[in-house]
């Protein structure tokens, strides 16, 4: 059991179970997340017998950095996990802070046809500690503080729900990484039962939905998941979420040339989202080895943007990061595997 996978609550009950005071959990968190020690022996305010017990029950191993690629305002990390599996994380320097895009699974089963991550089917879920360590390793390597976390790396967060929620608990805890809930964004391709479960938890983190198409016919062609949970159900679940939680929802919409970027698509999208307190984020497609997909030209993106604006939809265009370091989901890993 890796210590970086324990929530504060779990660690508190661990200490109670071994007959110690529960505030020891806060002390351990302080060593792990504030002082950033590398071994239990450095936890100098904890008595020897307890250190011995911690060593018996936990390990404090890190994951390793296999490769780093640096671009303008972007640093892309490839990690090797203890079983040799590889995942990626991407750090983006924004004017408002540093945002890390974290992976949640090794591979992905969602099978979106434009996405690089799905080229490798899901091998396994990431453990909570493997997500926490992506943040710690990048912070240590670059000597920066990460202020924002987006769960938009390899994998589907809602297909690894429990580990992802525990990850959020750890990084959001004041005694942990203290990253504000409003600075954490979970992105899903639209697994409706999990959107409902997430709604009932009333967390303050941001929810993003990968929409990418304004109707079922097109969405089912691009995203296999739409055959299981069609648009109507996704939109209904989001409306219920908005009713329950006073939080903003973002719909992500990748702009694929001549696929989903027509004026008709923009109008259809506007009518689909009419009256919802939602934002659309237009994402310039990051071209990958899926050569059948090209990115929409800038002018066309702005035309799509204007149509949404005129129809009173809140819309932004995502700044492009890292195309020079192939930062689209899963690209570094798949390039690495091909080179090997
Ligand atoms: N599985 C989750 C989160 C990971 S993907 C989800 O689907 O939301 C994060 C976002 O990146 C999704 O909106 C996904 O559709 C998008 N994406 C995938 N490949 C991309 C590419 N080549 N260029 C731009 N965005 C991409």
């Amino acid at each position: 059991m890796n210590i970086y996978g324990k929530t504060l609550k779990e660690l508190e009950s661990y200490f109670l179970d071994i007959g110690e005071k529960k505030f020891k959990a806060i002390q351990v968190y302080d060593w792990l997340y504030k002082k950033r020690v590398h071994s239990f022996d450095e936890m100098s305010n904890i008595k020897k017998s307890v250190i011995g017990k911690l060593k018996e029950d936990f390990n404090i191993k890190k994951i390793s950095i296999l490769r780093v690629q640096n671009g303008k305002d972007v640093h892309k990390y490839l990690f090797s996990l203890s079983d040799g599996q590889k995942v990626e994380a991407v750090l983006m320097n924004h004017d408002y802070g540093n945002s890390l895009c974290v992976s949640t699974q090794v591979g992905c089963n969602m099978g979106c046809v434009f996405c690089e991550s799905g080229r490798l089917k899901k091998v396994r879920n990431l453990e909570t500690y493997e997500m926490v360590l992506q943040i710690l390793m990048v912070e240590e390597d670059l000597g920066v503080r990460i202020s924002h976390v987006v769960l938009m790396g390899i994998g589907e967060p809602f297909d690894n729900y429990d580990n992802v929620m525990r990850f959020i608990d750890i990084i959001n805890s004041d005694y942990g990484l203290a990253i504000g809930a409003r600075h954490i964004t979970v992105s899903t391709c639209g697994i409706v039962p999990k959107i409902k479960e997430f709604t009932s938890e009333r967390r303050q983190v941001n929810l993003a939905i990968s929409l990418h198409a304004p109707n079922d016919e097109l969405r089912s062609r691009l995203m296999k998941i739409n055959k299981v949970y069609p648009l109507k159900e996704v939109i209904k679940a989001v409306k219920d979420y908005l009713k329950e939680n006073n939080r903003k929802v973002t719909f992500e919409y990748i702009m694929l040339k001549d696929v989903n970027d027509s004026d008709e698509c923009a109008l259809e999208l506007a009518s689909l989202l009419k009256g919802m307190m939602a934002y659309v984020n237009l994402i310039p497609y990051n071209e990958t080895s899926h050569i059948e997909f090209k990115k929409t030209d800038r002018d066309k993106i702005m035309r799509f943007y204007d149509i949404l604006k005129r129809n009173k939809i809140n819309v932004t265009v995502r700044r492009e990061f890292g195309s020079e370091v192939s930062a689209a989901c899963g690209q570094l890993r798949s390039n690495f595997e091909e080179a090997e």
Side-chain angles (χ1 to χ4, degrees):
M1 181 63 81
N2 190 302
I3 190 86
Y4 292 106
K6 285 279 169 198
T7 65
L8 188 64
K9 271 216 180 85
E10 288 167 344
L11 215 50
E12 284 174 349
S13 38
Y14 166 80
F15 279 114
L16 290 174
D17 283 350
I18 63 166
E20 294 291 335
K21 293 257 166 28
K22 76 173 192 186
F23 77 86
K24 287 233 159 50
I26 292 178
Q27 292 182 321
V28 169
Y29 255 48
D30 193 56
W31 289 110
L32 293 177
Y33 298 112
K34 309 290 184 206
K35 304 199 179 84
R36 305 282 170 102
V37 295
H38 298 282
S39 69
F40 290 116
D41 289 320
E42 292 167 76
M43 301 181 176
S44 55
N45 61 353
I46 297 176
K47 60 179 188 249
K48 283 275 171 322
S49 59
V50 175
I51 295 285
K53 187 81 183 108
L54 283 171
K55 282 184 184 167
E56 265 171 43
D57 295 332
F58 299 103
N59 72 71
I60 186 169
K61 288 201 194 101
K62 299 281 172 66
I63 57 178
S64 34
I65 297 175
L66 204 57
R67 182 172 289 187
V68 190
Q69 271 180 279
N70 299 306
K72 187 179 171 327
D73 295 333
V74 52
H75 306 268
K76 178 146 189 169
Y77 285 81
L78 184 66
F79 296 105
S80 172
L81 309 174
S82 61
D83 59 355
Q85 294 296 339
K86 300 178 194 78
V87 289
E88 305 171 15
V90 183
L91 183 102
M92 290 157 286
N93 311 118
H94 294 276
D95 44 12
Y96 56 78
N98 295 311
S99 167
L100 190 71
C101 178
V102 168
S103 290
T104 55
Q105 297 180 316
V106 179
C108 183
N109 275 348
M110 298 303 123
C112 301
V113 293
F114 48 79
C115 179
E116 197 68 18
S117 300
R119 287 219 180 253
L120 178 72
K121 288 278 153 271
K122 179 171 96 175
V123 177
R124 65 175 175 85
N125 283 331
L126 288 192
E127 298 297 333
T128 302
Y129 79 87
E130 292 170 322
M131 293 182 257
V132 173
L133 281 170
Q134 291 174 49
I135 301 179
L136 292 179
M137 301 297 292
V138 172
E139 286 196 334
E140 181 179 302
D141 190 57
L142 294 175
V144 298
R145 160 144 168 85
I146 289 165
S147 55
H148 293 67
V149 169
V150 294
L151 290 141
M152 295 187 186
I154 299 170
E156 167 52 44
F158 281 1
D159 186 35
N160 184 13
Y161 191 84
D162 294 341
N163 288 344
V164 164
M165 292 306 135
R166 293 168 64 254
F167 164 71
I168 291 173
D169 286 339
I170 294 171
I171 67 171
N172 180 225
S173 165
D174 285 342
Y175 299 105
L177 289 172
I179 298 173
R182 282 156 194 253
H183 289 183
I184 301 171
T185 303
V186 186
S187 177
T188 178
C189 62
I191 301 182
V192 169
K194 292 296 170 189
I195 298 177
K196 290 182 180 163
E197 189 173 343
F198 185 73
T199 300
S200 67
E201 289 194 36
R202 295 177 152 274
R203 287 172 180 270
Q204 293 299 299
V205 303
N206 304 308
L207 178 64
I209 307 281
S210 296
L211 201 64
H212 306 333
N215 60 62
D216 279 323
E217 190 268 317
L218 181 55
R219 193 164 190 265
S220 292
R221 259 200 286 146
L222 298 175
M223 302 172 73
K224 213 169 64 182
I225 192 76
N226 196 66
K227 294 177 188 158
V228 188
Y229 305 112
L231 264 181
K232 211 168 111 207
E233 290 181 31
V234 175
I235 298 294
K236 167 83 169 62
V238 172
K239 283 187 174 157
D240 291 345
Y241 174 87
L242 288 168
K243 247 187 265 159
E244 293 278 325
N245 297 270
N246 194 20
R247 301 290 309 129
K248 134 179 165 189
V249 171
T250 305
F251 287 103
E252 297 161 271
Y253 195 100
I254 301 183
M255 299 296 290
L256 300 164
K257 190 183 175 103
D258 299 331
V259 175
N260 65 355
D261 60 354
S262 66
D263 294 359
E264 292 72 35
C265 281
L267 287 167
E268 206 175 353
L269 183 61
S271 84
L272 182 72
L273 304 181
K274 200 171 166 198
M276 279 174 95
M277 251 304 289
Y279 290 74
V280 173
N281 195 204
L282 299 176
I283 307 174
Y285 181 60
N286 222 323
E287 290 178 10
T288 68
S289 57
H290 293 267
I291 43 166
E292 64 274 34
F293 295 107
K294 296 275 171 240
K295 69 199 281 186
T296 300
D297 303 330
R298 197 76 197 171
D299 291 354
K300 192 80 181 277
I301 295 180
M302 290 326 290
R303 188 181 162 95
F304 199 95
Y305 170 94
D306 285 337
I307 296 176
L308 292 177
K309 266 266 136 102
R310 260 186 274 125
N311 284 274
K312 307 212 165 30
I313 302 289
N314 300 308
V315 55
T316 50
V317 179
R318 181 175 296 173
R319 187 180 148 197
E320 281 180 85
F321 272 102
S323 43
E324 77 278 20
V325 294
S326 54
C329 317
Q331 272 183 286
L332 183 59
R333 192 197 51 195
S334 60
N335 294 348
F336 184 88
E337 309 264 339
E338 272 157 30
E340 270 191 340

